[in-house]
Amino acid sequence: MARVINFGAGPGKLPRAVLTQVAAEMLDWQGSGMSVMEMGHRSAEYGAILAAAEQDLRDLLAIPDHYHVLFLQGGATLQFAMVPLNLMRGGSGGDYVVTGEWSSRATREAARFGTVRVAASSQEGELRQIPAQSLWQLDPAADYVHLCANETIAGVEFNWIPETGNVPLVADMSSNFLSRPIAVERYGLIYAGAQKNVGPAGLTIVIVRDDLLGHLRSSAPSLFDYAAQAAAHSMVNTPPTFAIYVAGLVFRWLKDQGGVTGIEARNIEKAALVYAAIDSAAGFYGNGVAPGDRSRMNATFTISPPGLDAEFLAGARERSMVQLAGHRSVGGMRASLYNAMPVSEAHTLADYMSDFARRHG
Ligand SMILES: *Cc1c(COP(=O)(O)O)cnc(C)c1O
């Protein structure tokens, strides 16, 4: 079967072994005579699927016991609202670090519910760098500090964890979750939409520290209550059962790859290949991100002189490489190099880029 080389930014590529297993179990999950899609979410069978998914995720990230793992719906975008609705609990509001489109949207959404300050912004660097913490203006009385660990559109990634003292740190990790080890205990709350690196769209993972639960604003929907979701093991209502099952298989697959440390080594290698192809044809390819802040997950680049984008994409397509066009808001190219992509596919792109530059540069 012909599978393309998929550089899509999200929903993104999934491991072939996982898709094969999903296909094999589609009509009959392990002798149950039914698809996971058809199973009652409170059945013993489904309970085992959910429990295994949670345990495998806890193992992968060494999540401490005083953190809850929630499997929710609504995407990362709903977390832009659920975070302030649960975590604004009498302090001075949220401190937001704006490093791109997603953190900017998170800031605007939170401002609908309470006081929000932009503690730091890379706006002056045209959102192509992470501002050093010495430039941040944090309020020690803030309810939390929010950042986006990886900005998918420009391709800007945090490679360090800020120090926020007693103020809980909240991170949107939608596009780099499980791509590297995470020091979970440095965060109050981590959230990630699944469709970039973890599984199908429709699932959002939240990892939240115990002491932050129980403060949902009274006017908010009860479904938004982290405390209620934690108490009900993500089953206040029907959870996204099939997406959780697929994510569970991805967690298993990740363990087979040497866990997050093993996958990180591969991710570093893939990113190095693509950025080397950009830098060795500097002037032809451009990537304006500060070198230390370049994303391992989303490598963006422009081609100059202008007018070659369509030819680049068509040539890539001929070599089975798809979804390389940049985000519609910025144009250019974007190669997303999520966990499921083997090093060989990043090689194929890098070779093509060097060849294309030679022919047109
Ligand atoms: C894709 C993405 C989002 C939006 O996710 P939805 O699930 O569509 O709401 C938010 N933040 C980051 C960092 C993303 O990559």
Side-chain angles (χ1 to χ4, degrees), residues 49-284:
I49 291 172
L50 180 66
E54 174 170 344
Q55 190 56 53
D56 286 332
L57 181 60
R58 285 185 175 277
D59 294 346
L60 282 167
L61 293 176
I63 300 175
D65 288 344
H66 61 299
Y67 284 76
H68 298 274
V69 174
L70 309 177
F71 296 101
L72 307 179
Q73 306 196 42
T77 304
L78 183 57
Q79 294 309 308
F80 296 168
M82 279 178 66
V83 164
L85 286 169
N86 281 273
L87 267 51
M88 285 184 177
R89 53 201 195 289
S92 69
D95 275 345
Y96 278 72
V97 179
V98 178
T99 53
E101 178 61 21
W102 291 121
S103 45
S104 171
R105 282 174 63 166
T107 309
R108 291 200 300 274
E109 182 73 1
R112 303 181 64 232
F113 305 109
T115 304
V116 159
R117 284 172 303 274
V118 175
S121 166
S122 53
Q123 212 83 45
E124 277 117 72
E126 292 179 324
L127 303 177
R128 291 185 178 273
Q129 73 201 36
I130 305 289
Q133 198 180 343
S134 56
L135 303 171
W136 299 17
Q137 311 227 307
L138 295 177
D139 181 349
D143 290 301
Y144 61 89
V145 177
H146 180 281
L147 61 80
C148 176
N150 182 71
E151 287 285 359
T152 333
I153 293 179
V156 181
E157 185 170 12
F158 268 91
N159 283 303
W160 48 280
I161 306 175
E163 190 47 67
T164 59
N166 290 326
V167 180
L169 180 60
V170 176
D172 175 1
M173 293 195 186
S174 296
S175 48
N176 66 352
F177 190 61
L178 294 176
S179 70
R180 54 165 81 200
I182 304 169
V184 174
E185 64 283 355
R186 300 279 303 273
Y187 297 86
L189 187 150
I190 292 165
Y191 63 91
Q195 70 273 17
K196 311 287 168 62
N197 229 355
V198 174
L203 166 65
T204 310
I205 293 170
V206 173
I207 302 171
V208 57
R209 207 174 62 209
D210 215 1
D211 62 288
L212 298 176
L213 303 185
H215 303 279
L216 180 75
R217 182 165 313 177
S218 59
S219 59
S222 54
L223 193 58
F224 292 3
D225 188 6
Y226 292 134
Q229 291 287 10
H233 296 282
S234 308
M235 290 206 204
V236 168
N237 66 337
T238 315
T241 53
F242 194 76
I244 294 170
Y245 152 70
V246 179
L249 297 181
V250 171
F251 300 155
R252 267 293 161 62
W253 173 84
L254 263 175
K255 283 185 154 179
D256 293 342
Q257 311 304 306
V260 284
T261 322
I263 210 75
E264 178 184 41
R266 259 159 52 181
N267 288 334
I268 289 172
E269 202 179 336
K270 289 182 290 179
L273 284 167
V274 175
Y275 286 115
I278 294 170
D279 293 340
S280 62
F284 185 77

